Amino acid sequence: MSVLFYKRPDYVPKLPGPMSLTQSEIIAEKTHLSRTPIPTKLSFENIVQNKAQTPCTLQGFLEYLVYVSHDAENLQFWLWLQDYTKRFYADSPAEQSLSPPWSTVGTSQRTRGVPHQPPKSADKSRFGASGYNFDQQELSTTPRFDKPSFIAGTANTQCSWAHSAEDADGQVELKHEACRLLTLPDIDLSDQDPKLTSPAANQPHRYEIDRIISHYLSSDSPRELNLSPQTRAAVLDALQHTTHPSGFSPVCDIVESILRARSYPNFIRWSLRNVNEPRARFIRRISVAHVVLAVLMAFFLALSNEARGWRLWCFPLLLIGLPFAIAAHKGICFFTHSSQSRNLRPWEQFSDAAAFVKSFGNDDDDDDAYSMTDRGGNKSALLDPFGPSNSYDHESWVEAYRRKKWSQKVFSTRNARVQDDTLRSIQKGIVTQSWLWGALIGVPFMVLVLALPNAGVLGKHYNWS
């Protein structure tokens, strides 16, 4: 499809309530029916593998999810799962045998009240190129999570994987945190069957899985995934028996579907904007004012006795107002586009260490772009699967941007170069479309205005004698 007629991806809103497989399927279906094809160079795979250029990098995607969409935990968890799967299949066969796939765990290891049907598993493409053929089975009934058994498995986890005393201490703290988050009364573990807990303690990566549970899956965790109670119970039930990647199948399909069908197209749509909302709103208002002024001028001149040639003065106002208004509605400023740049986002405009440095000396794109030297550690924290909460109210830029004057937000915002050629091509298409739509609307309007005869109502002199 020609870039000239390219349409931005439709905005995909969030559905109310927690994420579930049914909800993710609804979003995916709506996206499939309405989404405009996105160029291959800006594909989901290229972005998460950090192959695209700024502003469509993995870091840019994460920042959008944190500061705009407010659901970055989905991508952070998904990225960790992809890396974990590769590391799991890199282990020796003996270690892998200690954590059987969730679909093949023996029924003797299942706790009372948990259905014998395993949760739906994803295909091998979801878990990397391991070659393992996951069984495709549906979750027949709503599972019930055996909380006492889960606490027992967590509390009896050994520290055999700790590489240092600090790791061991951290693991002990994790056990206490897991028990606290479940908010259960004291439970006597003396009557628990050791067969239910001992094998889990010897499974590879058990400490890391426990950290993931306390960081993403437990209630009130720092990066809690917005899961339905049924999905949360299913994945917790699976992970108390195995550390195999298939244990995450109840949540993996949901998270990946949400990322691909909602977060990704919304990010591309948002990245096409080259100005922030205050400047876009200012341009829209000025452009609409030009259009209104042109219409009023044409109306009054048509009612007057003035020559029709005076009505041609309305055309420049329409020619400026209509294209600028159409482009600003999509977040595009012609002047910013002409320099192949974009406004720095609010969180990019401030830093604790004088934040932005511009290099000079040659014509490389990287040298023309602003780069962040420091963001209070938050940049690396976003890529850390065990980083802090994604809340940004405490970051220094929030208060600094709030205190910034309106005029500074509109006129004093620094720019950074748009390095992605595909994104610039799409923006160029939007600019061209705006001028064409302005001409298609403005020219017929001016022809109509010029064809109207003078009404002679205004400026007409009456003889009252």
Side-chain angles (χ1 to χ4, degrees):
M1 181 177 60
S2 174
V3 173
L4 181 62
F5 300 100
Y6 180 82
K7 183 178 179 293
R8 292 184 304 164
D10 294 331
Y11 177 75
V12 184
K14 292 182 180 179
L15 295 179
M19 297 187 301
S20 64
L21 187 59
T22 302
Q23 184 189 81
S24 63
E25 290 175 349
I26 292 175
I27 294 176
E29 181 66 21
K30 290 182 178 180
T31 304
H32 175 72
L33 294 175
S34 62
R35 189 177 73 182
T36 300
I38 297 175
T40 305
K41 291 184 178 180
L42 295 178
S43 64
F44 177 81
E45 287 74 16
N46 283 347
I47 290 177
V48 297
Q49 294 174 12
N50 214 24
K51 294 182 179 179
Q53 293 182 305
T54 182
C56 296
T57 58
L58 176 59
Q59 179 69 23
F61 193 13
L62 277 169
E63 290 178 351
Y64 165 79
L65 294 177
V66 170
Y67 299 120
V68 181
S69 183
H70 305 135
D71 53 1
E73 61 277 357
N74 294 332
L75 181 58
Q76 291 163 335
F77 172 81
W78 186 84
L79 290 173
W80 170 85
L81 183 57
Q82 306 308 303
D83 177 70
Y84 174 77
T85 303
K86 294 178 182 178
R87 290 187 284 110
F88 181 88
Y89 286 109
D91 292 339
S92 64
E95 290 182 327
Q96 294 184 32
S97 64
L98 297 175
S99 293
W102 172 235
S103 58
T104 60
V105 174
T107 56
S108 62
Q109 291 184 354
R110 298 185 184 277
T111 57
R112 183 182 58 182
V114 178
H116 289 248
Q117 291 293 334
K120 181 179 179 181
S121 301
D123 56 33
K124 64 181 182 179
S125 63
R126 298 291 175 89
F127 293 100
S130 61
Y132 184 83
N133 185 19
F134 292 102
D135 295 332
Q136 300 297 318
Q137 301 185 29
E138 295 291 340
L139 185 61
S140 58
T141 57
T142 302
R144 281 174 24 208
F145 176 51
D146 191 346
K147 295 181 179 178
S149 179
F150 170 70
I151 293 181
T154 306
N156 290 318
T157 301
Q158 298 177 359
C159 296
S160 57
W161 310 278
H163 298 290
S164 64
E166 291 78 7
D167 290 340
D169 292 339
Q171 189 169 358
V172 173
E173 291 295 328
L174 175 65
K175 299 172 189 175
H176 293 297
E177 180 67 7
C179 295
R180 183 189 67 80
L181 292 174
L182 289 170
T183 62
L184 290 178
D186 294 337
I187 298 175
D188 185 8
L189 303 178
S190 60
D191 58 347
Q192 294 290 326
D193 186 356
K195 295 181 180 180
L196 295 178
T197 58
S198 297
N202 295 321
Q203 291 172 344
H205 310 288
R206 170 54 62 183
Y207 171 48
E208 184 176 2
I209 294 299
D210 289 344
R211 292 188 67 190
I212 287 295
I213 290 174
S214 65
H215 217 70
Y216 291 92
L217 301 175
S218 300
S219 300
D220 300 324
S221 53
R223 294 178 177 176
E224 180 183 358
L225 297 175
N226 186 24
L227 302 174
S228 64
Q230 294 80 7
T231 304
R232 191 185 307 275
V235 69
L236 289 177
D237 173 62
L239 295 179
Q240 69 174 314
H241 297 298
T242 182
T243 60
H244 193 277
S246 61
F248 291 96
S249 58
V251 65
C252 178
D253 290 343
I254 296 175
V255 169
E256 183 169 355
S257 179
I258 295 296
L259 285 173
R260 290 181 178 273
R262 186 185 69 198
S263 301
Y264 162 63
N266 287 350
F267 169 66
I268 297 298
R269 177 186 175 94
W270 177 81
S271 297
L272 289 172
R273 302 171 59 95
N274 64 5
V275 290
N276 293 329
E277 184 56 29
R279 180 175 291 187
R281 190 183 301 117
F282 173 77
I283 296 174
R284 285 196 299 267
R285 291 175 179 176
I286 294 297
S287 303
V288 171
H290 278 71
V291 174
V292 172
L293 181 59
V295 172
L296 290 177
M297 285 181 59
F299 176 76
F300 284 110
L301 288 174
L303 294 179
S304 68
N305 291 320
E306 300 295 337
R308 295 184 181 182
W310 287 101
R311 303 177 193 178
L312 291 175
W313 287 102
C314 303
F315 188 69
L317 294 176
L318 281 177
L319 188 62
I320 294 175
L322 287 173
F324 272 75
I326 295 172
H329 175 70
K330 301 177 181 180
I332 298 291
C333 172
F334 292 157
F335 301 113
T336 307
H337 172 72
S338 63
S339 61
Q340 299 184 348
S341 61
R342 64 173 178 86
N343 287 171
L344 294 177
R345 313 303 185 191
W347 53 88
E348 295 175 334
Q349 298 175 20
F350 305 93
S351 172
D352 297 334
F356 300 97
V357 177
K358 187 174 184 180
S359 302
F360 299 92
N362 56 54
D363 296 331
D364 292 341
D365 286 347
D366 291 340
D367 292 330
D368 291 334
Y370 285 98
S371 60
M372 287 180 289
T373 59
D374 179 53
R375 284 192 53 204
N378 189 51
K379 181 177 180 180
S380 59
L382 291 180
L383 296 172
D384 182 4
F386 300 105
S389 169
N390 292 319
S391 174
Y392 56 88
D393 294 337
H394 64 282
E395 295 182 15
S396 58
W397 71 266
V398 176
E399 182 64 20
Y401 187 76
R402 187 185 68 82
R403 293 181 178 181
K404 200 173 183 180
K405 296 181 181 179
W406 173 84
S407 59
Q408 293 176 326
K409 294 179 181 179
V410 174
F411 301 106
S412 301
T413 301
R414 291 190 250 185
N415 293 337
R417 184 177 175 82
V418 177
Q419 298 182 18
D420 195 282
D421 295 335
T422 304
L423 196 70
R424 290 204 304 265
S425 298
I426 297 175
Q427 291 175 338
K428 183 179 180 180
I430 294 176
V431 170
T432 305
Q433 290 176 5
S434 301
W435 284 109
L436 288 176
W437 276 110
L440 289 175
I441 297 174
V443 171
F445 176 80
M446 287 307 305
V447 171
L448 178 62
V449 169
L450 291 173
L452 291 176
N454 289 338
V457 176
L458 298 179
K460 183 177 181 179
H461 299 281
Y462 292 92
N463 186 5
W464 300 97
S465 57

